[in-house]
Coordinates of all heavy atoms in Angstrom, one line a residue:
P28 N -24.3 -4.0 4.9 CA -25.1 -5.0 5.7 C -25.6 -4.3 7.0 O -25.1 -3.2 7.4 CB -24.1 -6.0 6.1 CG -22.7 -5.3 6.1 CD -22.8 -4.3 5.0
V29 N -26.7 -4.8 7.5 CA -27.4 -4.3 8.7 C -27.4 -5.3 9.8 O -27.7 -6.5 9.6 CB -28.8 -3.8 8.4 CG1 -29.5 -3.4 9.6 CG2 -28.8 -2.7 7.3
W30 N -27.0 -4.9 11.0 CA -26.9 -5.8 12.2 C -28.3 -5.9 12.8 O -29.1 -4.9 12.8 CB -26.0 -5.3 13.2 CG -24.5 -5.5 12.9 CD1 -23.7 -4.7 12.2 CD2 -23.8 -6.7 13.2 NE1 -22.4 -5.2 12.1 CE2 -22.5 -6.5 12.7 CE3 -24.1 -7.9 13.8 CZ2 -21.5 -7.4 12.8 CZ3 -23.1 -8.8 14.0 CH2 -21.8 -8.6 13.4
T31 N -28.6 -7.0 13.4 CA -29.8 -7.2 14.2 C -29.6 -6.6 15.5 O -28.4 -6.3 15.9 CB -30.1 -8.7 14.4 OG1 -29.0 -9.3 15.0 CG2 -30.4 -9.4 13.0
A32 N -30.7 -6.3 16.2 CA -30.6 -5.6 17.5 C -29.7 -6.3 18.5 O -29.1 -5.7 19.4 CB -32.0 -5.3 18.1
G33 N -29.7 -7.7 18.5 CA -29.0 -8.4 19.4 C -27.6 -8.7 19.1 O -26.9 -9.4 19.8
S34 N -27.1 -8.1 18.0 CA -25.7 -8.2 17.6 C -25.3 -9.7 17.2 O -24.1 -10.1 17.3 CB -24.7 -7.7 18.6 OG -24.9 -6.4 18.9
D35 N -26.3 -10.5 16.9 CA -26.1 -11.9 16.7 C -26.3 -12.3 15.2 O -26.2 -13.5 14.9 CB -27.0 -12.8 17.6 CG -28.5 -12.5 17.4 OD1 -28.8 -11.5 16.6 OD2 -29.3 -13.2 18.0
G36 N -26.4 -11.3 14.4 CA -26.6 -11.6 12.9 C -26.6 -10.4 12.1 O -26.8 -9.3 12.6
I37 N -26.6 -10.6 10.8 CA -26.7 -9.5 9.8 C -27.6 -9.8 8.7 O -27.9 -11.0 8.4 CB -25.3 -9.1 9.2 CG1 -24.7 -10.3 8.4 CG2 -24.3 -8.6 10.2 CD1 -23.5 -10.0 7.6
V38 N -28.2 -8.7 8.2 CA -29.0 -8.8 7.0 C -28.2 -8.2 5.9 O -27.7 -7.1 6.0 CB -30.4 -8.1 7.2 CG1 -31.2 -8.2 5.9 CG2 -31.2 -8.8 8.3
Y39 N -28.1 -8.9 4.7 CA -27.2 -8.4 3.7 C -27.8 -8.8 2.3 O -28.8 -9.6 2.2 CB -25.8 -9.1 3.9 CG -25.8 -10.6 3.7 CD1 -25.3 -11.2 2.5 CD2 -26.2 -11.4 4.7 CE1 -25.3 -12.5 2.4 CE2 -26.2 -12.8 4.6 CZ -25.7 -13.3 3.4 OH -25.7 -14.7 3.3
T40 N -27.2 -8.3 1.3 CA -27.6 -8.6 -0.1 C -26.4 -9.1 -0.9 O -25.2 -8.8 -0.6 CB -28.2 -7.3 -0.8 OG1 -27.2 -6.3 -0.7 CG2 -29.5 -6.9 -0.2
V41 N -26.7 -9.9 -1.9 CA -25.6 -10.4 -2.8 C -26.0 -10.2 -4.2 O -27.2 -10.0 -4.5 CB -25.4 -11.9 -2.5 CG1 -24.8 -12.2 -1.1 CG2 -26.6 -12.7 -2.7
V42 N -25.0 -10.2 -5.1 CA -25.3 -10.1 -6.5 C -25.5 -11.5 -7.1 O -24.8 -12.5 -6.7 CB -24.2 -9.3 -7.3 CG1 -24.2 -7.9 -6.9 CG2 -22.9 -10.0 -7.1
N43 N -26.4 -11.7 -8.1 CA -26.5 -13.0 -8.8 C -25.5 -13.0 -9.9 O -24.7 -12.1 -10.1 CB -27.9 -13.2 -9.2 CG -28.5 -12.1 -10.1 OD1 -27.7 -11.4 -10.8 ND2 -29.8 -12.0 -10.3
D44 N -25.7 -14.0 -10.8 CA -24.7 -14.1 -11.9 C -24.8 -13.0 -12.9 O -23.9 -12.8 -13.7 CB -25.0 -15.5 -12.7 CG -24.7 -16.7 -11.9 OD1 -23.9 -16.5 -10.9 OD2 -25.2 -17.8 -12.2
N45 N -25.9 -12.2 -12.8 CA -26.0 -11.1 -13.7 C -25.8 -9.8 -13.0 O -26.3 -8.7 -13.4 CB -27.4 -11.1 -14.4 CG -27.5 -10.4 -15.7 OD1 -26.5 -10.4 -16.4 ND2 -28.6 -9.9 -16.1
W46 N -25.0 -9.8 -11.9 CA -24.7 -8.6 -11.1 C -25.9 -7.8 -10.7 O -26.0 -6.6 -10.9 CB -23.7 -7.8 -11.9 CG -22.9 -6.8 -11.0 CD1 -22.0 -7.1 -10.1 CD2 -23.1 -5.4 -11.0 NE1 -21.6 -5.9 -9.4 CE2 -22.3 -4.8 -10.0 CE3 -23.9 -4.5 -11.7 CZ2 -22.2 -3.5 -9.7 CZ3 -23.8 -3.1 -11.4 CH2 -23.0 -2.6 -10.4
R47 N -26.9 -8.5 -10.2 CA -28.1 -7.9 -9.7 C -28.4 -8.4 -8.3 O -28.4 -9.6 -8.1 CB -29.2 -8.2 -10.7 CG -30.6 -7.8 -10.2 CD -31.6 -8.1 -11.3 NE -33.0 -7.9 -10.8 CZ -33.8 -8.9 -10.6 NH1 -33.4 -10.2 -10.8 NH2 -35.0 -8.7 -10.1
T48 N -28.6 -7.5 -7.4 CA -29.0 -7.8 -6.0 C -30.5 -8.1 -6.0 O -31.3 -7.2 -6.0 CB -28.6 -6.7 -5.0 OG1 -29.2 -5.5 -5.4 CG2 -27.1 -6.6 -4.9
D49 N -30.8 -9.4 -6.0 CA -32.3 -9.7 -6.0 C -32.7 -10.4 -4.7 O -33.9 -10.8 -4.7 CB -32.5 -10.7 -7.2 CG -31.7 -12.0 -7.2 OD1 -30.8 -12.1 -6.3 OD2 -32.0 -12.9 -8.0
K50 N -31.9 -10.5 -3.7 CA -32.3 -11.1 -2.5 C -31.7 -10.4 -1.3 O -30.6 -9.8 -1.4 CB -31.7 -12.6 -2.4 CG -32.2 -13.5 -3.5 CD -31.6 -14.9 -3.2 CE -32.0 -15.9 -4.3 NZ -31.3 -15.5 -5.6
A51 N -32.5 -10.4 -0.2 CA -31.9 -10.0 1.1 C -31.9 -11.3 2.0 O -32.9 -12.0 2.1 CB -32.8 -9.0 1.8
L52 N -30.8 -11.6 2.6 CA -30.6 -12.8 3.4 C -30.3 -12.4 4.8 O -29.8 -11.3 5.1 CB -29.5 -13.6 2.8 CG -29.6 -14.1 1.3 CD1 -28.9 -13.2 0.4 CD2 -29.1 -15.5 1.2
Y53 N -30.5 -13.4 5.7 CA -30.1 -13.2 7.1 C -29.1 -14.3 7.5 O -29.3 -15.5 7.2 CB -31.4 -13.4 8.0 CG -31.1 -13.5 9.5 CD1 -30.4 -12.5 10.2 CD2 -31.4 -14.7 10.2 CE1 -30.1 -12.7 11.5 CE2 -31.2 -14.8 11.5 CZ -30.5 -13.8 12.2 OH -30.2 -14.0 13.5
H54 N -28.0 -13.8 8.1 CA -26.9 -14.7 8.5 C -26.9 -14.6 10.1 O -26.6 -13.5 10.6 CB -25.6 -14.3 7.9 CG -24.5 -15.2 8.5 ND1 -24.3 -16.5 8.1 CD2 -23.5 -14.9 9.4 CE1 -23.3 -17.0 8.8 NE2 -22.8 -16.1 9.6
K55 N -27.1 -15.7 10.7 CA -27.0 -15.8 12.2 C -25.5 -16.2 12.4 O -25.0 -17.2 11.8 CB -27.9 -16.8 12.8 CG -27.9 -16.9 14.3 CD -29.0 -17.8 14.9 CE -28.9 -17.9 16.4 NZ -29.0 -16.6 17.0
L56 N -24.8 -15.5 13.3 CA -23.4 -15.8 13.5 C -23.2 -17.2 13.9 O -24.0 -17.7 14.8 CB -22.9 -14.8 14.6 CG -22.9 -13.3 14.2 CD1 -22.2 -12.5 15.3 CD2 -22.3 -13.0 12.9

């Protein structure tokens, strides 16, 4: 995962049902 500059969230990837990372998501703490 990669942190945002303000340390208030991360950008990350997940695997789908077929074990494929097809999305990048943003999680705000």
Side-chain angles (χ1 to χ4, degrees):
V29 175
W30 284 92
T31 59
S34 300
D35 56 354
I37 60 170
V38 178
Y39 66 101
T40 55
V41 295
V42 294
N43 60 18
D44 291 341
N45 208 29
W46 198 70
R47 174 174 166 254
T48 54
D49 59 351
K50 298 181 185 71
L52 302 96
Y53 167 60
H54 176 74
K55 185 174 178 59
L56 299 185

